[in-house]
Amino acid sequence: MTAKIAGAVLLALLFCVPFAVQSEFWLSFWLLVLMYAFLGQSWNVLGGYGGQFSFGHALFFGIGAFGTAILQVRHGVNAYAAGAIAIALGAIVGGAVGLLVFRYRLRGAYFALVTLAFAEVARILISSFDYTGSGFGMLVPLARGVANFQFEDRRVFYVIAWVLVVIGALVAWWLENSRFGARLMAVRENEDAAQALGIDLIRTKVCAITLSGAMAATVGVFYVQNFLFVDSHLAFGPAMSIEALLVSIIGGMGTMFGPLFGAVVLHALGEAAKQITGNAPGLNLAFYGLLLILALRFLPNGITGLLSRHPARRSPESTHA
Amino acid sequence: MLEVRELSKRFGGIRAVDSASLDINEGEIVALLGPNGAGKTTLFAAIAGFVRPDAGSVRLIGSDITGLPPHVICARGLVRTFQIVQPFGALTVRENIAVGAHLHHASRRQALTRAEEVAEQVGLAPRLDQPAATLTVAGRKRLELARALATDPKLLLLDEVMAGLNPTEVSEIVPVIQAIRGSGVTILLIEHVMQAVVSLAERAYVLNNGRIIASGTTAEVASDPQVIEAYLGHGAAARVQSRLEARHAP
């Protein structure tokens, strides 16, 4: 409960940022934090609530980003329609990967490896064709205007990102208070028992990965509209996948505001490390690795666990009436 | 209610279940007995869809359920519990039971209310908000029972719900199971605790090396020479018989 109040307060404060902060740098910083918080939430739906640890969420992000970029650049589709189609594509690819992977009962490390492989294959394919921008990426032509989903004022994008995070929190709330969510968590906790109680494992997991794919693709669409550029390494590379899982794990898996806490802390620390080390290349990944180890060792329930009055729901003393 | 015909399952060269047949009528409590490794749990798993039988058929209330996936069989009204308890550890007792209740209740609120009713029924009401992982063995066994019950089954397959319980706990759970039957649920149970078997079940089947070697009333199977040999070894029946005769001799 404490964690939920803290999360709501943090969300309210974040809404004020564009009106309180003048610096372009800090606006961009908080914008990225929100974007990664929603990406983390997409991972959290599948990994945190469903227990299926994807190591390739970049696949869905990339589908969203390249989907909308290709539709706009190559086919002249309106930015909003392109975005909607790209999000639907993210859902479809999510469902297809899920059907393939869960039908063959891949779990745990095998699931993680297969998702990583899918993302890598997508990265290589996208880099191989002119149609998809080869290795150079896709540049969406600058044409400011509401009709093109391009806003002069960065604060509009900021508010959109904030709304996405709110939607993400509502999705998590729905999972915690619905039949689907109850079934998803049952599958996470024990597949045999879930099956015995009438839960269709494959269907439940495929639904979760479909939702997760659509959410991650939404971040890709948002990214492209904001930066008007995307390349295959950025979109499908492992760094994006790690970002998605890391903010969720550090913040607290299977919690409503975990990914938001994770994104704030991770990026605050990351920025600080950058300032100190003078932006040495590759250092951020080493830093992330270190943080992950520390988080798993000292904060198995993430930042949310730290805030919660019942830190580990697994600990024996956490009884309350 | 349940008709199992010539059901077989082999793992490699081992016939875990070897053309086993059994019948359960509505409203009965039937025990499935047999020494360790007899194939009882495999037979349960084959009936409930967790392993696909190599041969034979299972019919539930007249319709064929052989080889259907477990969640479909559960929706048809047959639910099993596990000998090795499988709680959803991070969820509370209430949330655990609600998972079962969701089979027939789409609304979260209704499922949670139903969970409370079921918890009351099996004596878990004081533990509703406790994480399942913190329950004692006896508590977890009750939780297995409660979750299964929350799916409103017609037939309940209980796999050693009393193993690991002390005599007091056993005597507490016996009336709970009787009350479940009283509410119209048919029960097939695997049990080693003979005190419980005798006080609960009218009939019993005995499985040994995958085969049904005896069936009848619990008293009949308990004195069946083949059953005694299966439990106590070759020649045991004769020794028991002579011991009994010696005791009754004037």
Side-chain angles (χ1 to χ4, degrees), chain A residues 179 189-190 196 199-200 313 320, chain B residues 71 86 89-90 95 102 129 131:
Chain A
R179 167 151 85 173
E189 293 295 316
N190 192 312
I199 296 172
D200 186 338
R313 284 183 98 183
H320 67 291
Chain B
H71 66 270
Q86 315 272 4
E95 289 165 342
H102 268 309
D129 292 299

Side-chain angles (χ1 to χ4, degrees), chain B residues 49-250:
Chain B
F50 280 82
V51 302
R52 184 179 279 278
D54 300 320
S57 71
V58 183
R59 293 176 75 81
L60 178 70
I61 327 173
S63 64
D64 191 5
I65 58 164
T66 320
L68 291 179
H71 66 270
V72 175
I73 292 178
C74 175
R76 300 263 182 104
L78 186 160
V79 62
R80 71 170 291 197
T81 67
F82 292 90
Q83 176 183 2
I84 301 156
V85 290
Q86 315 272 4
F88 304 129
L91 308 184
T92 64
V93 167
R94 188 198 308 270
E95 289 165 342
N96 264 264
I97 306 174
V99 171
H102 268 309
L103 182 67
H104 295 300
H105 299 282
S107 130
R108 185 76 183 144
R109 187 139 39 92
Q110 278 174 6
L112 291 171
T113 311
R114 176 80 186 118
E116 279 173 33
E117 290 165 14
V118 175
E120 196 75 50
Q121 207 176 340
V122 302
L124 273 176
R127 312 231 170 275
L128 273 169
D129 292 299
Q130 205 169 312
T134 65
L135 290 175
T136 60
V137 173
R140 289 174 192 214
K141 294 277 183 182
R142 280 169 193 253
L143 183 61
E144 277 285 320
L145 188 60
R147 282 192 319 202
L149 210 52
T151 65
D152 289 320
K154 298 188 180 79
L155 177 63
L156 195 53
L157 267 51
L158 302 178
D159 196 348
E160 296 207 30
V161 279
M162 292 171 216
L165 303 191
N166 65 38
T168 319
E169 289 162 343
V170 168
S171 62
E172 279 170 5
I173 208 159
V174 164
V176 170
I177 294 173
Q178 278 165 338
I180 292 169
R181 188 256 295 268
S183 70
V185 181
T186 309
I187 296 169
L188 173 62
L189 47 83
I190 294 176
E191 206 46 81
H192 280 304
V193 183
M194 278 314 278
Q195 167 207 352
V197 171
V198 173
S199 56
L200 280 172
E202 294 88 26
R203 290 198 300 126
Y205 288 89
V206 182
L207 202 64
N208 189 36
N209 295 326
R211 291 169 172 276
I212 301 278
I213 57 165
S215 67
T217 65
T218 39
E220 275 167 19
V221 298
S223 57
D224 188 306
Q226 266 196 300
V227 176
I228 295 169
E229 303 231 332
Y231 274 93
L232 301 176
H234 184 64
R239 286 197 298 278
V240 169
Q241 195 59 32
S242 65
R243 191 89 46 95
L244 283 173
E245 275 163 16
R247 198 183 295 167
H248 290 299

Side-chain angles (χ1 to χ4, degrees), chain A residues 46-95:
Chain A
L46 182 67
Y49 288 97
Q52 312 300 316
F53 292 179
S54 149
F55 216 88
H57 247 56
L59 174 66
F60 308 126
F61 174 89
I63 297 282
F66 271 92
T68 191
I70 290 170
L71 283 168
Q72 288 180 64
V73 175
R74 300 269 184 261
H75 304 284
V77 178
N78 168 276
Y80 293 97
I85 295 169
I87 292 167
L89 268 177
I92 291 167
V93 171

Side-chain angles (χ1 to χ4, degrees), chain A residues 24-320:
Chain A
E24 190 67 19
F25 173 82
W26 286 109
L27 188 66
S28 298
F29 173 81
W30 289 109
L31 181 92
L32 281 179
V33 166
L34 288 175
M35 197 186 86
Y36 286 125
F38 187 72
L39 184 69
Q41 191 69 279
S42 85
W43 187 92
N44 193 32
V45 167
L46 182 67
Y49 288 97
Q52 312 300 316
F53 292 179
S54 149
F55 216 88
H57 247 56
L59 174 66
F60 308 126
F61 174 89
I63 297 282
F66 271 92
T68 191
I70 290 170
L71 283 168
Q72 288 180 64
V73 175
R74 300 269 184 261
H75 304 284
V77 178
N78 168 276
Y80 293 97
I85 295 169
I87 292 167
L89 268 177
I92 291 167
V93 171
V97 169
L99 270 179
L100 208 64
V101 172
F102 295 132
R103 169 163 286 212
Y104 291 101
R105 299 179 185 199
L106 294 181
R107 295 193 255 177
Y110 299 99
F111 176 72
L113 284 173
V114 170
T115 49
L116 175 65
F118 271 115
E120 281 298 290
V121 167
R123 184 176 66 82
I124 292 162
L125 283 179
I126 292 282
S127 324
S128 312
F129 301 102
D130 281 340
Y131 178 72
T132 53
S134 306
F136 305 112
M138 302 280 293
L139 203 63
V140 175
L142 183 75
R144 297 274 189 227
V146 177
N148 296 326
F149 202 165
Q150 295 183 22
F151 306 103
E152 193 79 51
D153 192 344
R154 289 292 293 284
R155 286 181 296 186
V156 179
F157 278 117
Y158 184 92
V159 171
I160 293 172
W162 184 84
V163 170
L164 283 179
V165 172
V166 172
I167 291 172
L170 290 175
V171 168
W173 182 87
W174 172 70
L175 288 177
E176 288 176 15
N177 294 284
S178 68
R179 167 151 85 173
F180 176 73
R183 288 180 163 172
L184 188 60
M185 285 187 264
V187 169
R188 172 190 73 194
E189 293 295 316
N190 192 312
E191 294 202 348
D192 278 341
Q195 245 182 321
L197 297 174
I199 296 172
D200 186 338
L201 295 182
I202 295 177
R203 193 178 147 177
T204 306
K205 290 196 262 185
V206 168
C207 285
I209 197 173
T210 304
L211 175 60
S212 180
M215 288 169 72
T218 307
V219 183
V221 169
F222 176 83
Y223 184 94
V224 164
Q225 293 312 126
N226 188 39
F227 294 105
L228 298 176
F229 174 75
V230 64
D231 73 50
S232 56
H233 186 73
L234 186 145
F236 291 101
M240 192 61 74
S241 300
I242 291 171
E243 188 81 48
L245 66 92
L246 203 58
V247 295
S248 187
I249 292 174
I250 286 183
M253 284 186 281
T255 63
M256 205 167 143
F257 290 109
L260 179 61
F261 294 139
V264 170
V265 169
L266 190 68
H267 284 268
L269 290 175
E271 199 55 47
K274 231 191 245 175
Q275 300 294 339
I276 294 164
T277 59
N279 217 353
L283 202 70
N284 62 331
L285 283 179
F287 175 70
Y288 283 178
L290 185 68
L291 266 184
L292 185 61
I293 292 168
L294 290 175
L296 290 175
R297 173 65 186 84
F298 296 106
L299 285 178
N301 294 299
I303 298 161
T304 308
L306 202 63
L307 291 172
S308 172
R309 265 182 302 160
H310 317 289
R313 284 183 98 183
R314 289 169 181 81
S315 76
E317 62 274 7
S318 59
T319 37
H320 67 291

